[in-house]
C-alpha cells in the first residue's frame, strides 16, 4: 500500500459520504472515500422513495429539521445546475378519518414552526378535483406544494464524479474492518491499510459498528425495513401528486407517488429488524402494501408491477440525526434515517464545519469541475426523442431497452464515464436500461454482454 | 423530422407481422413496411433454438431461428420493406406513427396500421415474488437470449415456475446450457401443455413436476441459493442457483394504451372486432398481442387471413 496519508478518509459512499466528498473537494486537500460495495450508492441510498422533502413535518428545532430545510434548497439548485431530473409535484397529506382530519391543522402549524409557510388545508372536493382516481373516503388534505420528486441515484454519481475529477480517490470494494489510532488514523480494510488524519464515518447501517471500532458508543442502529412496489409507467396518469398519509409514530407511513422516471411507487412499510443484511421484500409486506394501495388508489392495483424491493433505514434509539465530532479527529455521521437524500448536501456543509473545528485547515475554495448528468426524467426530452442528439451520434437512436427507451449510446456513455457501473443494477441506475416492466425479457442478455465486455 | 407515407404499416416483425406483410404484398398492396425494433426481424423464434415451429404454416418441424429466417426472407422477396432498429414510440395524428431509429426521427402515415407487437412473460417482479434481488433469475425469453444469442454462463440447478408449453421450452434451453432442472412448479392442478410433451420431457430430463405449489420467496443474496415453496399450507425449500419464470403472458400493449384505445380486463390486449380491427379506426391487432397465447404458426396463419381482409378494404 502507498504511504500516502490522506487529509480525510470518508467511510461510506452513499449519498451522504459522496456529498461530503464533493463538498470537501472544493478545497485543496487529499480525500479518500471507501466503500465495501463495488459501486457508489449501493447501500440504503439506492432504495428510497425519492422525495425532496421540505422538512415541514420534522421535529421543530432538531438538527434534522435544519439540515433538511437547507438541503432541500441545495439539492434542488444542484439538480437544476447539473441536469438531474426533478419534478415540482407537491404533496397531499390525505386524511381518511376524522381524527386524521383534526390533525391537519396541527401539522400545518408544525410546518410553520419548521419554517415552511406554504401549506394549505383543502376540502375533500378539492382533493378529488386534483386526484380523481383516489379511493373513496378522503375527508380533506394538507396541500404541501414544495414537496417534490427527484432522481435519487444520479446525485450520488454526480457528487462522486465531481469529487473524483477534483482529485479524490474513490476506493470501492474496500471494507473497513479495523483501525489503529496513532499519530494519525490507520484504517484496516479488505484492500490493505488506508491512512488518514481525519476520518468521517458515513457508513449508514454500520455507523454504530464503525463507532465501536473507534471506541465510541453513542447509539445503536436499528435497521427499519421499508418495502416498496413500483408500478408500470402506464399507470402514471392515475396520480399527479405525492399522496402522503397523516404521519404516525412509526414514521411517514405508506405513500403513493409518481417517480421522475414516470412510474408510480407504493410504500414504504416500516418494520424494525435485527439483521442489517435483510434487505429482501416479504410476503407480508407485499400483502400489506396491496391492502393500503387498494384503499388509496384502487385502480393502481390493476396495473403491472415493474419492481418490488426493500430499503433499510438506519434508525437509532434517538429521533434526530447523530452527527458528532469525537476525539482522534473522528466524526460520526449516523442516524440519517429517512431524509438523507434531501439533507445530504447540508449534512456535508455541517460536517465541513466540524472538520474545521477539529483543526483541519482547508485553505481557499476552488471551483468544482462543471458536469452535466444524464437527465433520466420522463418529463424531459430523452435522447431517443432528440433529433439533434441522434444526428450527432446515431447510437442515441438505437433503443436497447425498449421498456425504458434507453439507447445504446447512453449505455456506452455510462460505461465510459469517470465512475462506470460494475453491475446491471448500477447500469440501470445510471441509464434506466433493464429497469423497466419486462425486467430484461428483451434486453437483459445484451446489457450483460456489454457490461461483461468492459 | 422526416415524414413518409405507405399503404400499410406493420409494427412488429415477428411471425404474425411478417406473415401479414407478405400476404398484403401478395394481395396487391403497393407499399408495405414493417418496423422492427431489434437488430434482426423474426420475433421470439429468433432466440428459440429448439424445434417446434412451422407445422401449420410450412408443414415442417423447424427450429425457431430457421422458422424466423423463412419469414424474413419471404418478406424481403415479396417486396416488403423491413426496417430494423426502428421503434414505433407512439401514435401521431391522422393514422401516423412516430418512429425512432439510428437514422433519426420519422413520422410514417399509413392507410392502415397493423399492430403485431407480441407478448412477453411476466417477470418475477410482475408476480411480486418477495425476497432479495440476487442474480440467476430469468424468464424463458431472457434465458434463451442469454444462452443462444449471447452464450453467457447460466448456472447448475434450476427451478422452473409455471408449467405451460413455454415452460418445457425452458427445460430444453437449460439442458443446452448445461443446467439441470430440479423441479417445475405450478399453482394449477395440472400442467398446461400436451400430455405427451410433459411425459416425454419429464422422463428424458428427469425433473419433478409439482402442482398446486406456489413460490413464496426467492432465497439468496448475491446469487440465488434456492426457492421457498408452499404446498397445501406446508412450506419447504428447494436448493437451486437459477430460477426461470415462464409463461403468464402480458401483451406488449404500450402503443395501444398510450394511444388511448380500450384494453380487455382479462388479458390486457386491445379490444378488437372479429376482423381484428380496433373499432372506429383503420388499426388492426394480430398475433400474440391479442392473447390468449398461441403458437407461432397459428399466429401466422391467422395473420394471413386478416391481411387478406385489410388488403380488400384498401381496394
Ligand atoms: C424506504 C426508504 C425510503 C426513503 N425515502 C426517502 C425520501 O423520500 N427522501 C429522502 O430524502 N430520503 C429518503 N430515505 C432516506 C435515505 O435513503 C437515507 O437517509 C440515505 O440514503 C442514507 O445515506 P447514507 O449515505 O447515510 O447511507 P448508505 O447509502 O447506506 O451508505 C453507507 C455506505 O457505507 C458503506 N459501508 C458500511 N460499512 C462499511 C465498512 N465497514 N467499510 C466500507 N464501507 C462501508 C455501505 O456499503 C454503504 O454504501 C429513505 C430511506 C428508505 C430506506
Ligand atoms: C421461450 C418461448 C418458446 C416458444 N416456443 C414455441 C414453439 O416451440 N413453437 C411455437 O409455435 N411457438 C413457440 N412460442 C410462441 C411463439 O414464439 C409466439 O407465438 C410468436 O413469436 C408470436 O408471434 P408474434 O409475431 O405475435 O410476436 P413476437 O414474436 O413476440 O414478435 C413481436 C415483434 O414485435 C417487435 N416490436 C414490439 N413492439 C415494437 C415497437 N413498438 N416497434 C417496433 N417493433 C416492435 C418485437 O421486437 C418483436 O420482434 C414460444 C415463445 C417463447 C417466448
Amino acid at each position: 500500500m502507498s504511504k500516502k496519508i490522506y487529509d480525510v478518509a470518508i467511510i461510506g459512499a452513499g449519498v451522504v459520504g459522496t456529498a461530503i466528498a464533493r463538498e470537501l473537494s472544493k478545497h485543496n486537500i487529499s480525500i479518500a472515500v471507501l466503500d465495501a460495495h463495488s459501486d457508489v450508492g449501493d447501500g440504503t441510498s439506492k432504495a428510497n422513495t425519492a422525495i425532496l422533502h421540505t422538512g415541514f413535518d420534522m421535529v421543530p428545532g432538531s438538527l434534522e429539521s435544519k439540515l433538511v430545510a437547507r438541503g432541500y434548497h441545495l439539492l434542488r439548485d444542484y439538480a437544476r445546475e447539473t441536469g438531474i431530473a426533478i419534478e415540482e409535484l407537491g404533496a397531499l397529506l390525505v386524511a381518511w378519518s376524522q381524527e386524521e382530519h383534526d390533525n391537519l391543522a396541527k401539522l400545518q402549524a408544525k410546518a410553520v414552526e419548521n419554517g415552511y409557510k406554504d401549506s394549505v388545508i383543502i376540502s375533500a372536493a378539492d382533493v378529488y378535483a386534483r386526484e380523481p382516481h383516489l379511493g373513496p373516503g378522503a375527508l380533506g388534505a394538507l396541500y404541501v406544494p414544495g414537496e417534490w420528486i427527484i432522481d435519487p441515484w444520479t446525485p450520488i454519481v454526480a457528487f462522486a464524479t465531481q469529487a473524483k475529477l477534483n482529485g479524490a480517490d474513490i476506493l470501492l470494494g474496500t471494507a473497513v474492518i479495523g483501525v489503529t489510532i496513532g499519530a494519525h488514523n490507520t484504517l484496516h480494510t479488505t484492500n490493505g491499510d488506508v491512512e488518514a488524519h481525519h476520518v468521517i464515518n458515513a457508513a449508514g447501517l454500520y455507523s454504530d459498528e464503525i463507532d465501536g471500532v473507534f471506541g465510541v458508543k453513542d447509539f445503536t442502529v436499528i435497521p427499519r425495513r421499508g418495502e416498496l412496489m413500483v408500478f408500470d409507467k402506464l399507470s402514471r396518469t392515475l396520480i399527479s401528486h405525492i399522496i402522503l398519509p397523516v404521519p404516525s409514530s412509526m414514521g411517514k407511513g405508506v405513500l403513493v407517488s409518481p417517480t421522475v422516471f414516470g412510474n408510480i411507487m407504493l410504500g414504504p412499510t416500516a418494520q424494525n429488524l435485527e439483521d442489517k443484511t435483510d434487505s429482501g421484500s416479504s410476503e407480508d409486506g407485499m400483502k400489506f402494501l396491496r391492502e393500503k394501495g387498494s384503499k388509496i388508489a384502487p385502480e393502481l392495483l390493476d396495473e403491472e408491477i415493474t419492481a418490488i424491493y426493500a430499503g433499510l433505514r438506519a434508525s437509532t434509539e434517538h429521533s434526530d440525526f447523530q452527527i458528532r465530532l469525537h476525539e482522534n479527529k473522528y466524526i460520526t455521521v449516523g442516524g440519517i434515517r429517512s431524509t438523507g437524500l434531501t439533507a445530504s448536501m447540508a449534512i456535508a456543509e455541517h460536517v465541513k464545519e466540524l472538520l474545521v473545528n477539529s483543526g483541519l485547515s482547508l485553505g481557499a475554495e476552488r471551483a468544482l469541475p462543471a458536469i452535466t448528468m444524464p437527465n433520466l426524467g420522463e418529463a424531459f426530452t430523452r435522447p431517443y426523442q432528440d433529433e439533434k442528439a441522434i444526428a450527432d451520434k446515431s447510437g442515441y437512436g438505437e433503443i436497447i431497452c425498449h421498456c425504458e427507451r434507453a439507447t445504446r449510446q447512453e449505455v456506452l456513455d455510462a460505461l465510459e464515464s469517470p465512475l462506470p457501473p460494475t453491475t446491471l443494477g448500477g447500469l440501470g441506475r445510471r441509464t434506466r436500461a433493464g429497469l423497466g416492466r419486462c425486467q430484461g425479457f428483451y434486453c437483459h442478455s445484451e446489457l450483460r454482454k456489454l457490461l461483461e465486455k468492459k | 423530422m422526416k415524414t413518409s407515407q405507405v399503404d400499410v404499416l406493420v409494427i412488429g416483425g415477428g411471425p404474425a407481422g411478417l406473415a401479414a406483410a407478405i400476404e398484403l404484398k401478395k394481395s396487391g398492396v403497393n407499399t408495405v413496411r414493417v418496423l422492427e425494433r431489434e437488430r434482426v426481424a423474426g420475433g421470439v423464434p429468433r432466440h428459440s433454438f429448439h424445434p417446434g415451429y412451422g407445422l401449420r404454416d410450412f408443414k415442417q418441424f423447424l427450429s425457431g431461428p430457421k422458422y424466423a429466417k423463412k419469414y424474413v426472407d419471404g418478406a424481403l422477396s415479396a417486396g416488403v420493406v423491413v426496417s430494423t432498429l426502428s421503434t414505433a414510440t407512439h401514435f401521431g395524428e391522422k393514422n401516423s406513427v412516430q418512429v425512432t431509429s439510428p437514422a433519426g426521427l420519422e413520422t410514417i402515415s399509413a392507410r392502415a396500421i397493423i399492430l403485431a407487437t407480441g407478448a412477453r412473460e411476466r417477470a418475477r417482479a410482475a408476480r411480486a415474488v418477495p425476497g432479495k434481488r440476487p442474480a440467476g433469475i430469468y424468464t424463458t425469453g431472457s434465458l434463451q437470449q442469454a444462452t443462444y444469442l449471447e452464450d453467457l454462463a447460466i448456472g447448475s440447478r434450476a427451478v422452473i415456475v409455471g408449467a405451460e408449453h413455454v415452460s418445457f421450452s425452458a427445460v430444453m434451453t437449460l439442458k443446452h446450457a448445461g443446467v439441470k432442472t430440479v423441479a417445475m412448479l405450478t399453482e394449477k392442478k395440472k400442467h398446461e401443455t400436451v400430455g405427451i410433451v410433459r411425459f416425454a420431457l419429464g422422463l428424458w430430463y428427469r425433473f419433478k413436476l409439482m402442482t398446486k405449489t406456489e413460490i413464496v420467496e426467492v432465497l439468496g443474496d448475491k446469487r440465488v441459493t434456492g426457492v421457498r415453496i408452499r404446498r397445501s399450507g406446508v412450506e419447504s425449500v428447494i436448493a437451486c442457483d437459477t430460477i426461470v419464470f415462464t409463461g403468464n403472458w402480458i401483451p406488449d400493449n404500450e402503443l395501444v394504451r398510450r394511444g388511448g384505445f380500450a384494453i380487455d380486463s382479462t388479458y390486457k390486449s386491445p379490444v378488437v372486432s372479429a376482423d381484428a380491427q380496433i373499432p372506429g379506426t383503420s388499426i388492426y391487432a394480430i398475433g400474440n398481442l391479442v392473447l390468449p397465447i398461441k403458437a407461432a404458426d397459428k399466429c401466422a396463419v391467422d395473420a394471413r387471413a386478416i391481411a387478406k381482409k385489410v388488403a380488400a378494404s384498401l381496394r
Side-chain angles (χ1 to χ4, degrees):
Chain A
M1 278 310 278
S2 76
K3 300 231 168 51
K4 178 169 185 177
I5 304 176
Y6 289 98
D7 291 315
V8 182
I10 301 164
I11 306 171
V15 71
V16 172
T18 55
I20 296 170
R22 174 186 170 277
E23 184 61 39
L24 296 180
S25 73
K26 289 177 180 168
H27 303 271
N28 193 11
I29 55 171
S30 60
I31 303 162
V33 186
L34 290 65
D35 202 291
H37 289 240
S38 66
D39 197 358
V40 297
D42 204 30
T44 296
S45 298
K46 78 175 172 196
N48 60 50
T49 46
I51 292 168
L52 191 62
H53 293 297
T54 55
F56 78 94
D57 59 347
M58 302 282 95
V59 177
S62 63
L63 181 61
E64 185 176 15
S65 165
K66 184 178 129 195
L67 296 182
V68 168
R70 168 122 182 102
Y72 174 88
H73 292 97
L74 291 174
L75 187 56
R76 183 192 64 186
D77 294 349
Y78 184 70
R80 286 178 172 158
E81 200 180 292
T82 55
I84 295 169
I86 186 165
E87 267 187 72
E88 310 178 6
L89 288 189
L92 293 175
L93 266 89
V94 179
W96 299 96
S97 69
Q98 196 52 49
E99 193 189 337
E100 286 177 357
H101 196 255
D102 295 343
N103 260 329
L104 294 181
K106 274 184 227 149
L107 279 162
Q108 190 182 27
K110 190 173 172 186
V112 174
E113 273 188 83
N114 278 310
Y116 187 77
K117 301 189 181 71
D118 293 339
S119 68
V120 283
I121 294 174
I122 63 171
S123 68
D126 281 352
V127 171
Y128 286 106
R130 285 175 174 275
E131 293 288 1
H133 298 282
L134 276 196
L139 303 178
L142 184 67
Y143 174 46
V144 190
E147 296 277 297
W148 293 355
I149 55 175
I150 185 169
D151 168 351
W153 301 315
T154 308
I156 304 166
V157 180
F159 295 159
T161 300
Q162 280 188 311
K164 185 171 178 176
L165 294 176
N166 247 8
D169 288 330
I170 315 281
L171 308 175
L172 299 171
T174 305
V176 174
I177 44 186
V179 62
T180 303
I181 299 168
H184 57 267
N185 292 300
T186 302
L187 298 173
H188 308 302
T189 83
T190 49
N191 229 352
D193 287 352
V194 175
E195 320 210 2
H197 295 293
H198 298 258
V199 173
I200 296 167
N201 165 7
L205 290 167
Y206 296 91
S207 50
D208 56 345
E209 289 171 38
I210 298 290
D211 263 5
V213 168
F214 276 86
V216 173
K217 176 95 194 85
D218 285 339
F219 59 86
T220 305
V221 172
I222 305 149
R224 182 176 294 171
R225 177 163 65 184
E227 298 181 54
L228 291 149
M229 274 183 179
V230 180
F231 288 86
D232 194 290
K233 290 186 164 180
L234 294 167
S235 65
R236 176 64 179 81
T237 49
L238 288 176
I239 295 289
S240 48
H241 300 75
I242 303 160
I243 307 298
L244 297 172
V246 176
S248 75
S249 60
M250 262 315 259
K252 294 174 181 296
V254 172
L255 59 85
V256 171
S257 173
T259 72
V260 292
F261 312 116
N263 304 89
I264 299 276
M265 180 176 261
L266 167 65
T269 58
Q271 181 192 13
N272 288 342
L273 303 176
E274 306 271 299
D275 181 357
K276 289 177 180 174
T277 65
D278 196 358
S279 60
S281 50
S282 70
E283 202 181 1
D284 289 345
M286 294 298 115
K287 200 170 142 222
F288 174 78
L289 288 182
R290 280 210 173 87
E291 276 166 24
K292 285 278 182 192
S294 65
K295 194 164 174 246
I296 303 169
E299 289 158 77
L300 187 59
L301 278 294
D302 294 335
E303 296 290 340
E304 295 290 309
I305 299 168
T306 59
I308 56 171
Y309 60 88
L312 298 177
R313 307 171 188 85
S315 69
T316 70
E317 62 273 51
H318 310 286
S319 67
D320 204 354
F321 286 171
Q322 301 294 304
I323 306 180
R324 276 191 202 100
L325 171 61
H326 300 286
E327 288 176 352
N328 306 312
K329 300 180 177 171
Y330 170 67
I331 297 174
T332 304
V333 187
I336 315 297
R337 188 177 57 188
S338 45
T339 53
L341 169 63
T342 308
S344 56
M345 294 179 83
I347 293 173
E349 285 182 347
H350 182 73
V351 167
K352 188 159 97 175
E353 270 172 42
L354 294 182
L355 268 178
V356 172
N357 294 347
S358 73
L360 178 65
S361 88
L362 291 168
E365 249 189 62
R366 54 177 177 171
L368 284 166
I371 53 170
T372 303
M373 299 306 289
N375 188 318
L376 304 174
E378 209 54 19
F380 303 81
T381 305
R382 303 273 308 279
Y384 83 88
Q385 300 164 310
D386 186 345
E387 190 130 50
K388 273 214 197 86
I390 303 173
D392 185 32
K393 280 187 180 161
S394 64
Y396 289 121
E398 184 181 340
I399 297 176
I400 186 169
C401 162
H402 302 299
C403 307
E404 292 299 323
R405 296 188 174 159
T407 64
R408 177 177 294 273
Q409 190 58 47
E410 291 171 89
V411 170
L412 294 178
D413 289 349
L415 292 172
E416 283 155 15
S417 67
L419 263 175
T422 53
T423 58
L424 279 177
L427 179 61
R429 292 195 286 278
R430 285 168 178 80
T431 62
R432 304 285 307 142
L435 296 191
R437 62 175 78 93
C438 90
Q439 295 280 302
F441 180 93
Y442 298 112
C443 69
H444 182 114
S445 58
E446 173 102 20
L447 296 176
R448 228 178 105 185
K449 193 179 63 177
L450 284 171
L451 192 69
E452 287 177 12
K453 220 166 49 190
K454 267 297 282 195
Chain B
M1 179 168 342
K2 198 177 156 193
T3 56
S4 40
Q5 178 94 41
V6 292
D7 289 318
V8 184
L9 182 66
V10 179
I11 301 172
L18 292 173
I22 295 168
E23 192 61 40
L24 287 162
K25 283 300 285 183
K26 282 189 184 158
S27 311
V29 176
N30 224 341
T31 46
V32 180
R33 184 163 165 195
V34 174
L35 298 177
E36 170 52 54
R37 62 191 182 183
E38 299 291 340
R39 189 171 287 278
V40 188
V44 166
R46 259 184 332 119
H47 53 73
S48 193
F49 272 66
H50 52 74
Y53 287 89
L55 274 184
R56 292 191 190 82
D57 42 358
F58 296 119
K59 313 286 181 246
Q60 274 178 298
F61 205 51
L62 300 168
S63 76
K66 286 215 176 90
Y67 178 82
K69 186 160 186 312
K70 266 177 119 62
Y71 271 111
V72 176
D73 291 348
L76 294 177
S77 60
V80 174
V81 178
V82 181
S83 308
T84 54
L85 290 182
S86 299
T87 304
T89 54
H90 57 276
F91 284 107
E93 288 189 352
K94 293 193 206 116
N95 245 28
S96 75
V97 166
Q98 277 296 315
V99 181
T100 290
S101 79
L105 306 184
E106 185 178 357
T107 306
I108 308 176
S109 314
R111 294 171 66 201
I113 296 172
I114 299 182
L115 302 173
T117 50
R120 63 178 189 274
E121 299 163 283
R122 281 195 176 81
R124 178 253 178 118
R127 307 176 196 219
V129 177
K132 292 187 191 177
R133 302 206 285 174
I137 303 177
Y138 298 87
T139 52
T140 320
S142 67
L143 173 74
Q144 292 195 334
Q145 292 181 50
T147 308
Y148 295 121
L149 298 188
E150 318 288 358
D151 201 18
L152 298 167
I154 304 298
S156 61
R157 284 168 58 88
V159 166
I160 295 178
V161 181
E164 305 181 25
H165 286 304
V166 66
S167 319
F168 293 87
S169 169
V171 175
M172 290 189 276
T173 307
L174 287 167
K175 168 77 179 169
H176 178 93
V179 186
K180 183 173 168 37
T181 298
V182 289
M184 181 183 279
L185 321 173
T186 173
E187 291 179 23
K188 308 255 165 70
K189 287 201 200 94
K190 198 178 168 298
H191 65 81
E192 296 160 84
T193 187
V194 188
I196 182 72
V197 172
R198 181 263 169 277
F199 180 75
L201 293 181
L203 205 64
W204 186 253
Y205 297 109
R206 298 188 172 281
F207 58 86
K208 196 163 157 193
L209 175 68
M210 306 173 80
T211 55
K212 291 190 249 170
T213 305
E214 67 179 317
I215 174 169
V216 289
E217 189 183 356
V218 168
L219 304 173
D221 189 358
K222 293 244 161 0
R223 173 84 208 186
V224 170
T225 58
V227 292
R228 186 186 302 284
I229 59 169
R230 186 183 297 134
R231 185 158 201 251
S232 320
V234 182
E235 288 190 4
S236 58
V237 168
I238 307 176
C240 65
D241 59 14
T242 306
I243 308 172
V244 188
F245 287 93
T246 65
N248 193 346
W249 303 89
I250 167 94
D252 211 314
N253 61 13
E254 177 163 18
L255 279 173
V256 183
R257 281 198 65 180
R258 293 209 189 274
F261 302 112
I263 296 288
D264 78 80
S265 56
T266 318
Y267 295 114
K268 304 195 177 178
S269 289
V271 175
V272 290
S273 69
D275 290 345
Q277 193 166 11
I278 297 179
T281 70
S282 37
I283 302 171
Y284 301 78
I286 61 172
N288 278 335
L289 169 61
V290 188
L291 290 173
I293 198 78
K294 297 166 289 290
D297 54 359
K298 171 82 171 122
C299 289
V301 168
D302 292 353
R304 283 215 292 266
I306 287 155
K308 282 203 177 84
K309 291 185 182 165
V310 174
S313 78
L314 294 178
R315 271 183 216 120

